[in-house]
Amino acid sequence: MDGPGGARISGKHHDRVLFMACNRATTTPPTISANGNSYPPDSWTNVPPSILSYLPRKLHLQPSHPVSITREVIESCFPPPTYTHYNDLDPIVSVYENFDSLNFPPDHPGRNRTDTYYLNKDTVLRTHSSAHEAEIFRHNKSAGYTISADVYRRDAIDRSHYPVFHQMEGARMWDRRKVEGGDVARVAREQLTQLEEHDLEVEDPNPTIHPERNPLQAEHHRVEEVEAIAAHLKRSLELMVNELFSRAKRRATGDAAADEPLKVRWVEAYFPFTSPSWELEVFWQGDWLEILGCGITKQDILINANVPNQLGWAFGVGLERLAMILFSIPDIRLFWSKDPRFLGQFSTADDIKPFVPFSKHPACYKDVSFWLRSSSSAAGGGLRSNSQDFHENDMMEIVRDVGGDLVEDVKMIDEFAHPVSGRKSICYRINYRSLERTLKNEEADRLHEGVRTRLVEKLGVELR
Ligand code: PHE
């Protein structure tokens, strides 16, 4: 995960993207069936059966699973009746719900087929829990809600990225028609005083509103309203982080670091569906770690959802990243393990203990080097000639499809352009390692051969 939604949602550059690209045609099945519905495939279809097989898993609802325990701790910070908890919304959503309803511009990189799993041109596996915002605002059952959800993104392969992960979303609204004198600012301030105090050390150097970097939605909101709602948002999320991290720290007592106050900082951010927006980072084991995105909900989303008199905040947080910290889980693949040596180590939110790894099995590194296909526009085009053709995520998808959870990570170790033709060569190192057993070299060889064959078949590269 890159944060809750990371570079993908905010529109920042993705450092792993090599080239802007389109997908190559894949063999398209006659129809795609998922969750009891069928979807006619088309030229957008890129979701493999291996990914659809994750839909029934719902780790966020599996009792005693670390992802589910993390959800429970967060839910406990947003209790009913103010907050309704939605935990079983369908991961198959329309492109409209996932992107358009949230103001993603038509050319937003998150919409690319290299980044998102499409069932067909109108239907995707949700890439974030925000896909349900509009629907729940429209439903208007309570002032607030949380959603927990499995979300799907085409991405790199390493110990903290997996094509399926879990997010939690929360929101809180105030209705101008329902508060005395329409004074949402006063009511939100009053409710802020009812929230607990905490002893986190908080850095928050920026103004709530900045005309260029973090603007007020001036046609809809008053400064005092946004100041009050933002203060309520920040305190609510600080309390949540405090709850989670103090559970992780409690068990580390004795350790000098455990006695130091936990440090967090607010950073200005951008999301198409909030303004102003922030990210919250936590100082953990020597690094600043981004754990959530949030902001003041864009008023046009509420207007379109037929609740024009409401305004409020929303946030989204990645559950695996938090669970990895809470339980000291070193590899994101472990969450999918059905091995009792993993699952047997977790019980309830009141008993959070670090995971004890079972023995580390040996790594098996294999390299693959290839020339990218030259595209038809190659003539005189130098390096740019390949730029339409190859996207790293397409290569990752092949490795994942062949190797599944037996691949720990994939790293690019070399890249160069032929001095005369401009044709580009890349070398990747794949680390085959099982979390559960020792992998035989012959097995890794077989997988690697499968990867090589498919790279040629699907991406048209020339092996070196
Ligand atoms: N959906 C955003 C993400 O995936 C997180 C977010 C949710 C940000 C709600 C603001 C408000 O990164």
Side-chain angles (χ1 to χ4, degrees):
M1 305 147 278
D2 288 299
R8 289 275 318 285
I9 303 286
S10 64
K12 282 182 259 169
H13 283 296
H14 192 303
D15 58 355
R16 292 174 200 276
V17 173
L18 286 180
F19 312 107
M20 289 302 290
C22 319
N23 218 353
R24 301 230 68 73
T26 44
T27 35
T28 317
T31 180
I32 306 214
S33 304
N35 280 359
N37 289 313
S38 4
Y39 301 86
D42 56 27
S43 62
W44 283 79
T45 306
N46 67 351
V47 57
S50 55
I51 292 293
L52 290 174
S53 73
Y54 289 99
L55 263 62
R57 293 287 300 274
K58 303 183 191 185
L59 300 183
H60 59 295
L61 300 178
Q62 193 179 305
S64 296
H65 192 281
V67 169
S68 178
I69 293 174
T70 307
R71 166 187 61 79
E72 285 169 7
V73 176
I74 297 175
E75 280 177 354
S76 74
C77 302
F78 300 99
T82 305
Y83 297 89
T84 305
H85 300 152
Y86 297 90
N87 293 329
D88 208 4
L89 299 166
D90 192 342
I92 301 174
V93 300
S94 64
V95 169
Y96 182 84
E97 290 168 301
N98 199 81
F99 296 120
D100 303 86
S101 77
L102 294 161
N103 285 344
F104 280 70
D107 59 350
H108 192 282
R111 293 182 185 251
N112 288 345
R113 286 165 68 234
T114 48
D115 291 33
T116 294
Y117 291 109
Y118 282 82
L119 282 87
N120 58 32
K121 73 175 191 336
D122 302 315
T123 320
V124 294
L125 296 179
R126 66 186 161 209
T127 64
H128 55 165
S129 43
S130 307
H132 302 285
E133 269 194 11
E135 167 195 354
I136 294 179
F137 288 143
R138 183 177 294 278
H139 188 47
N140 196 17
K141 187 169 174 325
S142 48
Y145 62 76
T146 66
I147 302 169
S148 64
D150 41 327
V151 301
Y152 297 77
R153 294 182 192 177
R154 296 178 98 231
D155 211 332
I157 302 179
D158 62 39
R159 266 173 289 162
S160 61
H161 290 81
Y162 205 79
V164 193
F165 62 99
H166 297 78
Q167 277 192 335
M168 220 157 145
E169 177 104 358
R172 172 73 201 263
M173 274 75 63
W174 287 267
D175 192 326
R176 287 194 184 119
R177 279 178 327 183
K178 292 197 183 145
V179 302
E180 206 192 307
D183 195 350
V184 164
R186 186 181 51 78
V187 176
R189 288 256 172 234
E190 250 165 49
Q191 285 167 350
L192 172 65
T193 62
Q194 287 156 24
L195 294 177
E196 282 165 57
E197 304 280 326
H198 57 67
D199 51 16
L200 296 183
E201 216 174 89
V202 181
E203 282 177 29
D204 191 4
N206 294 301
T208 307
I209 294 163
H210 184 280
E212 287 95 44
R213 299 192 312 256
N214 225 353
L216 175 78
Q217 300 173 53
E219 61 288 25
H220 300 295
H221 298 159
R222 292 175 23 233
V223 171
E224 310 80 74
E225 287 175 325
V226 168
E227 290 284 358
I229 293 173
H232 188 277
L233 165 68
K234 287 178 176 175
R235 177 76 65 75
S236 304
L237 294 176
E238 288 160 10
L239 286 167
M240 175 190 94
V241 166
N242 192 42
E243 182 62 38
L244 284 162
F245 282 75
S246 52
R247 284 177 198 244
K249 280 183 90 172
R250 223 173 281 154
R251 57 137 207 261
T253 33
D255 180 338
D259 303 324
E260 281 171 28
L262 189 62
K263 257 194 297 192
V264 300
R265 70 177 180 200
W266 289 101
V267 179
E268 291 172 338
Y270 173 80
F271 301 99
F273 37 95
T274 51
S275 190
S277 309
W278 302 276
E279 280 163 358
L280 182 58
E281 298 183 344
V282 176
F283 195 71
W284 185 254
Q285 295 177 346
D287 283 316
W288 285 104
L289 202 71
E290 177 201 323
I291 58 159
L292 63 82
C294 65
I296 306 297
T297 300
K298 285 265 180 87
Q299 201 59 30
D300 50 349
I301 299 174
L302 294 157
I303 293 169
N304 291 338
N306 230 359
V307 287
N309 300 301
Q310 300 189 12
L311 65 162
W313 54 248
F315 74 88
V317 52
L319 291 181
E320 273 82 351
R321 177 171 286 195
L322 288 173
M324 287 174 88
I325 296 169
L326 270 182
F327 297 93
S328 311
I329 294 173
D331 189 312
I332 197 166
R333 291 176 294 164
L334 280 162
F335 291 110
W336 300 92
S337 172
K338 295 176 181 167
D339 192 320
R341 289 175 298 174
F342 176 73
L343 292 174
Q345 295 196 27
F346 311 98
S347 58
T348 67
D350 297 321
D351 179 27
I352 290 181
K353 297 193 292 287
F355 167 68
V356 184
F358 18 106
S359 59
K360 182 128 176 152
H361 301 283
C364 190
Y365 295 99
K366 310 250 171 227
D367 295 350
V368 55
S369 312
F370 48 82
W371 292 106
L372 298 186
R373 230 164 85 111
S374 336
S375 65
S376 47
S377 61
L383 248 187
R384 290 194 51 218
S385 60
N386 295 307
S387 65
Q388 313 286 306
D389 235 345
F390 177 81
H391 193 292
E392 187 167 276
N393 283 350
D394 292 336
M395 186 270 315
M396 295 287 176
E397 191 71 31
I398 287 173
V399 176
R400 186 99 69 185
D401 220 30
V402 173
D405 286 355
L406 296 175
V407 178
E408 180 167 297
D409 58 52
V410 180
K411 289 196 186 97
M412 186 173 69
I413 54 169
D414 189 33
E415 111 187 273
F416 71 92
H418 189 280
V420 179
S421 68
R423 208 173 168 198
K424 187 154 185 162
S425 166
I426 311 186
C427 180
Y428 286 99
R429 177 159 294 167
I430 306 179
N431 173 9
Y432 297 91
R433 185 202 319 252
S434 165
L435 290 162
E436 289 157 4
R437 62 191 171 85
T438 296
L439 203 63
K440 292 214 184 66
N441 190 45
E442 302 82 80
E443 192 178 349
D445 271 340
R446 250 193 331 273
L447 294 171
H448 198 61
E449 209 33 60
V451 168
R452 289 167 56 89
T453 311
R454 292 254 234 132
L455 284 171
V456 174
E457 268 170 30
K458 298 244 177 184
L459 303 185
V461 305
E462 187 186 323
L463 297 174
R464 307 187 51 204

